Amino acid sequence: MNKRRLPILALPLLLCFSTKGFTQLEGEWFLTINHITERLGIINFEYREGELQGFVDGGPIEFSFDDDQLEMVVDYRNGGGRLLSRTFTGSLAGDVLSGTLIAPHDDTTGTWYASRVIPETELPPAPVDMSGLWSRISAGMEKVFLDYTDAAQAKVDQYSYLDDPGLRCVSPGLIRLSGWPYPMEIIQNEKQTTILYESYREVRRVYMDGREAPEFYPNSAMGFSNGHWEGSTLVIETSLLKSAFVDQAGQPVSENARVEERITMSEDGQNLRSKLTLHDPENYQSPIIRYRQWRKTPDVTMMEYDCDSYPFYRGLEMEGMLEEFLDRMGEQLNN
Amino acid sequence: MRKLIYSLVLASSASLAGSATAHHSFAAEFSYEDFGSREGEVVEVHFVNPHARIFLAVTNANGEEEIWDAQTFPPRNLIANGWHRDTINVGDRITIEGNLGLEGSFKLWIISMTLEDGTEILPNGGRAN
């Protein structure tokens, strides 16, 4: 418990734990919420050291469960980066959890629904055409507090916004960029799926021919990606990432991290959904999950990402922080 | 005793919440609660990613000049909200309202801008962070 940072509104729930019926909750649940936009996530209840613990998208939550009534508080950040929480109340009926949620910050409400995750059966490849221009609809639950290792907690504690490479026009990396609210274009052929992101002009080449990365292939912001089809799901495995962050709160991603994306298209071809799983045991005790959703927007025109780092440095200089920034970068390069 | 426990919970809650918000770039630079408005002359305008930025020369109550650093969303958002490359130029007098920088820094996160001809621009539809 001491390794986890919990949201402010979760604390009162510590007082109302009950063990009755906990085994009914154990396992993974696929969560859909309708709050401002539809968002998807994974709830996981698992026993650790004899105690049932709750997680959303790999980050710890506090919850109470009594007489089939569940209450849980899940932290998130909004588009402006503000730390907020949603309080979920609902009930268990058979293999379904459902109820209502409230975001106390602005009194907005919504509904939620969760069904047990059914293990996927292996399917022969059945590629679908995902080519075209897509605009993001939502980026999942945006859970802030994650299941940190001690090393990761120390990194989070030391993080400063000065460490954000995006502010100086350097790509923020696969996990953050794939959730950015700007368009992407997909171009497909049998050997390669190419994803062009407007943000930071990133280009991903996802090799579908099973090739391996050449010797000494450098780590990079978007890594080295192999793809294959499981039924009509495009599965992308990525490694050789540069150190980066999951989010703007400084949750670290190590160079040894592995990312799996499972991308599916809706039957009408108008929506894409990706379940991104970050496996990074150096930093997290549970894999971190992010669900992204996009809508097909053929009428949107991609823009060049005209980025200039001068205003950032000028602002630091005006504030008297330029030297601190340079010292900080120097220290990080030497470690 | 009840009062003491309540105080402890508050203290620990504040430190936990702070550990996340203080590290986010917006939360590390701007207040979510304090807002302000400054009128002045544009000395630099940067219609670029990752954030559009305006440096504004403002005369304070003592008659001294301060340079304010105002920033907001990237060009894709701004074009959709009535601000394109030629909308604001060096030398223009404008009024910027927004979230104030922390610790008395001369910073603003732009919520609205009013041009000399009265045109109002809302980079995020008028919503505050």
Side-chain angles (χ1 to χ4, degrees):
Chain A
M1 218 52 177
N2 60 335
K3 288 177 184 167
R4 301 186 185 124
R5 297 297 176 93
L6 299 175
I8 188 168
L9 293 170
L11 292 171
L13 287 181
L14 288 168
L15 306 175
C16 54
F17 264 117
S18 162
T19 54
K20 187 181 174 186
F22 268 15
T23 50
Q24 293 169 272
L25 288 179
E26 191 177 5
E28 279 195 335
W29 301 77
F30 178 57
L31 170 66
T32 302
I33 73 170
N34 280 292
H35 175 229
I36 316 297
T37 57
E38 181 190 75
R39 291 171 184 272
L40 309 175
I42 293 287
I43 313 172
N44 184 27
F45 293 105
E46 67 175 60
Y47 279 95
R48 289 192 186 179
E49 297 169 358
E51 182 187 341
L52 193 73
Q53 298 188 13
F55 300 85
V56 165
D57 288 353
I61 59 166
E62 293 297 343
F63 66 97
S64 66
F65 186 65
D66 198 12
D67 283 341
D68 290 340
Q69 300 299 304
L70 176 68
E71 182 172 343
M72 57 183 189
V73 179
V74 184
D75 57 279
Y76 73 105
R77 65 169 192 82
N78 69 1
R82 190 168 194 175
L83 178 64
L84 301 168
S85 67
R86 300 182 179 102
T87 300
F88 293 69
T89 54
S91 56
L92 173 68
D95 276 340
V96 172
L97 287 161
S98 63
T100 57
L101 66 93
I102 182 166
H105 164 62
D106 55 8
D107 275 345
T108 51
T109 58
T111 57
W112 66 279
Y113 174 93
S115 54
R116 284 192 186 279
V117 172
I118 300 162
E120 292 186 37
T121 52
E122 273 193 36
L123 294 169
V128 293
D129 181 8
M130 295 178 175
S131 60
L133 208 134
W134 303 88
S135 295
R136 199 207 69 181
I137 305 169
S138 71
M141 297 291 293
E142 310 250 41
K143 183 84 170 68
V144 176
F145 295 96
L146 304 176
D147 195 10
Y148 302 121
T149 61
D150 289 342
Q153 183 68 65
K155 290 175 190 164
V156 171
D157 289 343
Q158 289 163 12
Y159 180 76
S160 158
Y161 80 97
L162 298 174
D163 302 337
D164 180 353
L167 294 176
R168 50 191 164 93
C169 296
V170 174
S171 172
L174 169 62
I175 297 173
R176 283 180 66 194
L177 202 67
S178 67
W180 232 257
Y182 301 106
M184 66 177 184
E185 184 173 10
I186 297 178
I187 302 167
Q188 269 177 271
N189 64 39
E190 280 183 16
K191 291 185 175 175
Q192 182 173 309
T193 300
T194 307
I195 309 176
L196 309 172
Y197 295 89
E198 179 173 286
S199 299
Y200 294 85
R201 298 176 179 155
E202 281 290 11
V203 179
R204 281 180 84 188
R205 294 174 179 84
V206 180
Y207 298 109
M208 307 296 289
D209 56 6
R211 77 179 68 183
E212 292 183 5
E215 197 176 11
F216 304 120
Y217 192 83
N219 287 54
S220 61
M222 304 303 274
F224 182 89
S225 297
N226 290 108
H228 67 275
W229 294 93
E230 293 180 14
S232 56
T233 300
L234 173 60
V235 182
I236 304 176
E237 300 274 356
T238 300
S239 58
L240 291 172
L241 290 161
K242 277 178 88 168
S243 293
F245 303 105
V246 173
D247 205 335
Q248 296 176 56
Q251 307 98 322
V253 179
S254 81
E255 292 203 335
N256 298 316
R258 187 171 61 78
V259 171
E260 182 196 71
E261 292 156 281
R262 301 183 68 85
I263 305 176
T264 54
M265 192 168 70
S266 61
E267 278 187 20
D268 65 4
Q270 296 304 302
N271 291 281
L272 279 188
R273 169 190 296 181
S274 172
K275 180 188 181 188
L276 182 153
T277 307
L278 165 67
H279 301 273
D280 189 4
E282 285 178 32
N283 289 316
Y284 304 101
Q285 300 181 75
S286 311
I288 304 306
I289 293 162
R290 289 287 187 264
Y291 268 99
R292 319 294 196 198
Q293 295 182 88
W294 297 267
R295 180 177 294 121
K296 198 162 199 176
T297 50
D299 295 336
V300 167
T301 304
M302 294 274 272
M303 292 182 188
E304 179 180 311
Y305 194 76
D306 179 19
C307 197
D308 189 348
S309 55
Y310 162 77
F312 169 68
Y313 294 118
R314 185 84 173 97
L316 288 180
E317 190 268 338
M318 280 171 44
E319 212 183 344
M321 289 180 64
L322 189 56
E323 198 167 340
E324 179 187 336
F325 168 78
L326 294 173
D327 288 347
R328 194 174 174 87
M329 291 299 107
E331 275 176 30
Q332 289 175 10
L333 286 171
N334 291 329
N335 287 330
Chain B
M1 194 59 192
R2 183 187 177 88
K3 193 176 176 184
L4 176 63
I5 291 170
Y6 182 64
S7 302
L8 284 173
V9 168
L10 267 186
S12 60
S13 303
S15 80
L16 295 178
S19 68
T21 55
H23 298 145
H24 176 258
S25 60
F26 184 93
E29 294 186 80
F30 300 97
S31 169
Y32 286 113
E33 282 81 32
D34 297 328
F35 301 91
S37 176
R38 294 292 180 276
E39 184 193 352
E41 182 181 327
V42 175
V43 291
E44 287 188 27
V45 54
H46 303 280
F47 194 72
V48 294
N49 290 286
H51 295 158
R53 215 141 166 164
I54 290 173
F55 294 111
L56 193 69
V58 176
T59 304
N60 68 18
N62 298 325
E64 299 156 341
E65 186 181 88
E66 297 169 347
I67 303 295
W68 281 70
D69 174 1
Q71 55 182 302
T72 186
F73 293 91
R76 175 174 281 283
N77 301 64
L78 303 180
I79 290 169
N81 287 291
W83 178 2
H84 54 83
R85 185 176 287 278
D86 298 325
T87 306
I88 295 168
N89 295 290
V90 171
D92 291 354
R93 284 203 72 79
I94 63 172
T95 301
I96 299 178
E97 186 184 358
N99 302 71
L100 285 169
L102 296 174
E103 298 172 359
S105 61
F106 297 160
K107 288 183 180 178
L108 283 165
W109 182 269
I110 304 168
I111 296 171
S112 74
M113 295 193 304
T114 308
L115 312 187
E116 270 182 297
D117 65 2
T119 305
E120 190 179 37
I121 294 170
L122 306 171
N124 193 31
R127 291 180 294 276
N129 265 320

